[in-house]
Amino acid sequence: MIRPELQRPTGTQDILAPQSWRFEKFRRIALDTAKAYGFDLIETPVFEQSAVFLKVGESTDIVQHERYAFTDVGGDDLTLRPEGTAAVARAYIQNGLYNEPKPLKVVYWGPMFRRERPQAERYRQHTQFGAELYGSEDPAADAEIILLACRVVERTGLKDPDVRINSIGCVDCRPAYRQALIEYYTERRAELCQDCQNRLEKNPLRLLDCKVDVVVRATAPDLSTFWCEACRTHIEAVTAAIGATGRAIRRDPFLVRGLDYYTRTVFEVGHPSLGPNTALFGGGRYDGLTGAMGGPESPAVGFGMGIERMLSALGTALTPDPQRGAYVANLPGFQTHAIAVAESLRGEGFAVDYDVMGRSLKAQLRDASRRAAVVVIIGGEEWERGVVEIKDFSSGEQQAIGRHDLGSYLRHHLERDSDGGTTA
Ligand code: HAM
């Protein structure tokens, strides 16, 4: 038992094997897929000056209520990143990436920090795989981002993601819609939940997001009737492009997303195994963010995918097969030789284990039968003759072979896996 003051913080997790390996496998699939889609990898610090995240929008929950902000001993006002987009936008400006040939396509992977109320699938530290595409206003860029996310979902083993899309309009058409919403909801204020009463003042579009006031919402003004021609054409082109690939996408008139920087396209993907408010990934277009940060105006679109949620929806998929290679056991007095043989075989790319507990040969063989496909026994007079004893656990076959033939024996008895290691 660990003392209460030493326990891990609420809403965080220790990720143990095999879950840790599933994370790793997911990461590899996600990054390989991104690379094949022409994305580069970017890594930014896990903390930034707080001003970076204030640009996400002061009325968003992650900025207003959920920020892990602190002043360090030097007096700097810092925030553990609650999301990646603002951090990547900062890096885009600071590193002059706007001078690179366009589009600039990057992905990132790493922990995000939000002081959420503890509940299922909402962690205070979660892992995101995210993608951002800079420099294009074209609907094809929105499609590219959504298609990458869908491909990663598919390659990791989830079938048919339910992709919902909406357009929240632009600076030209959104103000009129916002006004219409305020008028509609003000008349029905008494029927609203407390959250929505607050949203009405601060962020009326989020009223559509409410899962409580659905009756009021059902007859609220429809965003699509307020879209300007450019916004309408844009969402139609994104939807058509995705449709042309054979993937399903449907319009969700109530989808608005919780972050303030979006313009036009927003999208989100849920899963039946998760609650209705729990997305696997979400994102959208945010053409004004770099300008708001004092950099050049650069149209941009991206997504963030929650890896804990993806793995939860995937169940036991991505669980790696146990790595059953060779075990080098030793007779008393031959441990040093066993280490040397094991290391030499490892150098040839085999998965090899040996005893580090000083166990008897009998105990080593018991351990080996749990961990390995083949055991190699080293020592005694046989070793002096250049011979080792070998047992294959699956066939039960036992034989003595020349020490120098070990490599070729293992090559025939163990299959190399994709990592260059070996399995039975
Ligand atoms: P977000 O919707 O806030 O968007 O987060 C993206 C994804 O991260 C969510 O769909 C969810 O899967 C996961 N996620 C968020 N919070 C938690 C949590 N507390 N616990 C577990 N998983 C969580 C963004 O962060 C934007 N930066 C996405 C984006 C990129 N938009 C444009 N570019």
Side-chain angles (χ1 to χ4, degrees):
M1 273 296 279
I2 183 145
R3 296 207 302 267
E5 72 272 23
L6 298 181
Q7 286 174 4
R8 63 171 182 268
T10 305
T12 64
Q13 322 178 70
D14 299 312
I15 303 171
L16 312 176
Q19 183 73 346
S20 48
W21 291 116
R22 297 171 68 229
F23 264 79
E24 196 48 37
K25 198 157 172 183
F26 196 113
R27 181 174 195 268
R28 204 173 325 152
I29 294 170
L31 296 189
D32 285 351
T33 307
K35 204 168 171 196
Y37 274 59
F39 284 73
D40 276 326
L41 180 60
I42 187 168
E43 292 200 21
T44 61
V46 293
F47 58 91
E48 296 275 350
Q49 298 203 63
S50 293
V52 169
F53 297 115
L54 296 181
K55 296 290 178 199
V56 171
E58 299 200 20
S59 69
T60 59
D61 287 343
I62 61 172
V63 171
Q64 213 177 30
H65 311 295
E66 298 171 0
R67 237 162 15 100
Y68 278 102
F70 59 100
T71 307
D72 75 3
V73 288
D76 290 343
D77 178 8
L78 302 168
T79 294
L80 292 184
R81 65 177 180 203
E83 60 108 49
T85 308
V88 172
R90 194 270 308 140
Y92 176 80
I93 301 167
Q94 190 163 2
N95 296 286
L97 298 180
Y98 46 82
N99 292 319
E100 301 282 319
K102 292 184 177 54
L104 184 95
K105 296 162 54 167
V106 291
V107 289
Y108 49 89
W109 175 283
M112 307 291 163
F113 305 87
R114 302 178 179 186
R115 200 179 188 287
E116 307 239 26
R117 253 184 320 117
Q119 51 186 306
E121 308 298 346
R122 259 176 220 282
Y123 301 102
R124 291 188 174 173
Q125 176 178 332
H126 72 277
T127 313
Q128 265 189 39
F129 167 61
E132 314 290 350
L133 188 159
Y134 280 89
S136 171
E137 274 179 306
D138 198 293
D142 310 45
E144 170 77 339
I145 281 291
I146 296 170
L147 290 170
L148 169 62
C150 289
R151 182 72 70 186
V152 169
V153 167
E154 180 188 276
R155 285 201 178 153
T156 51
L158 268 193
K159 294 284 167 257
D160 305 324
D162 175 26
V163 187
R164 296 173 292 119
I165 189 170
N166 199 10
S167 172
I168 56 166
C170 63
V171 283
D172 293 332
C173 58
R174 200 184 315 146
Y177 179 68
R178 195 172 178 276
Q179 194 49 41
L181 260 192
I182 294 174
E183 282 164 20
Y184 171 82
Y185 273 96
T186 305
E187 268 181 28
R188 313 195 51 173
R189 190 176 194 122
E191 297 167 58
L192 302 181
C193 69
Q194 191 53 50
D195 272 354
C196 280
Q197 304 219 4
N198 297 337
R199 285 169 173 163
L200 188 48
E201 312 289 318
K202 292 186 186 136
N203 195 350
L205 242 65
R206 294 285 320 273
L207 289 162
L208 297 180
D209 220 11
C210 184
K211 309 292 186 287
V212 181
D213 298 326
V214 285
V215 176
V216 186
R217 183 177 81 168
T219 48
D222 182 355
L223 242 167
S224 68
T225 59
F226 285 77
W227 288 338
C228 62
E229 198 44 41
C231 283
R232 176 177 304 283
T233 315
H234 192 92
I235 188 172
E236 283 173 2
V238 177
T239 311
I242 308 263
T245 67
R247 291 205 187 274
I249 186 162
R250 65 182 173 94
R251 177 163 176 249
D252 177 350
F254 302 123
L255 179 62
V256 285
R257 304 262 307 138
L259 304 165
D260 280 355
Y261 46 54
Y262 293 117
T263 49
R264 290 197 173 145
T265 313
V266 287
F267 55 86
E268 215 162 79
V269 170
H271 192 263
S273 72
L274 306 171
N277 302 339
T278 311
L280 291 175
F281 70 80
R285 178 165 278 285
Y286 53 98
D287 294 344
L289 184 59
T290 52
M293 286 180 139
E297 294 281 347
S298 290
V301 54
F303 73 79
M305 181 179 289
I307 307 308
E308 290 78 3
R309 291 184 188 176
M310 277 296 301
L311 289 178
S312 160
L314 278 163
T316 55
L318 299 183
T319 305
D321 296 331
Q323 177 112 349
R324 289 169 69 81
Y327 188 106
V328 183
N330 65 279
L331 291 168
F334 286 83
Q335 192 185 41
T336 317
H337 297 294
I339 294 172
V341 169
E343 266 303 287
S344 154
L345 293 172
R346 286 167 168 173
E348 288 183 53
F350 296 108
V352 183
D353 217 343
Y354 63 84
D355 175 52
V356 294
M357 305 293 292
R359 287 181 168 132
S360 68
L361 182 62
K362 195 172 159 204
Q364 287 180 61
L365 294 180
R366 204 177 315 121
D367 192 31
S369 67
R370 277 197 301 267
R371 295 172 185 274
V374 168
V375 64
V376 182
I377 303 162
I378 279 180
E381 169 268 327
E382 278 191 325
W383 176 257
E384 308 304 340
R385 284 194 290 117
V387 171
V388 295
E389 195 69 32
I390 279 211
K391 181 173 177 181
D392 183 327
F393 288 118
S394 54
S395 63
E397 178 189 305
Q398 191 158 347
Q399 59 182 297
I401 63 166
R403 198 197 299 175
H404 300 295
D405 299 329
L406 248 181
S408 67
Y409 175 93
L410 293 182
R411 242 181 301 284
H412 285 106
H413 284 75
L414 306 175
E415 268 173 37
R416 272 156 202 278
D417 70 13
S418 55
D419 303 325
T422 44
T423 52

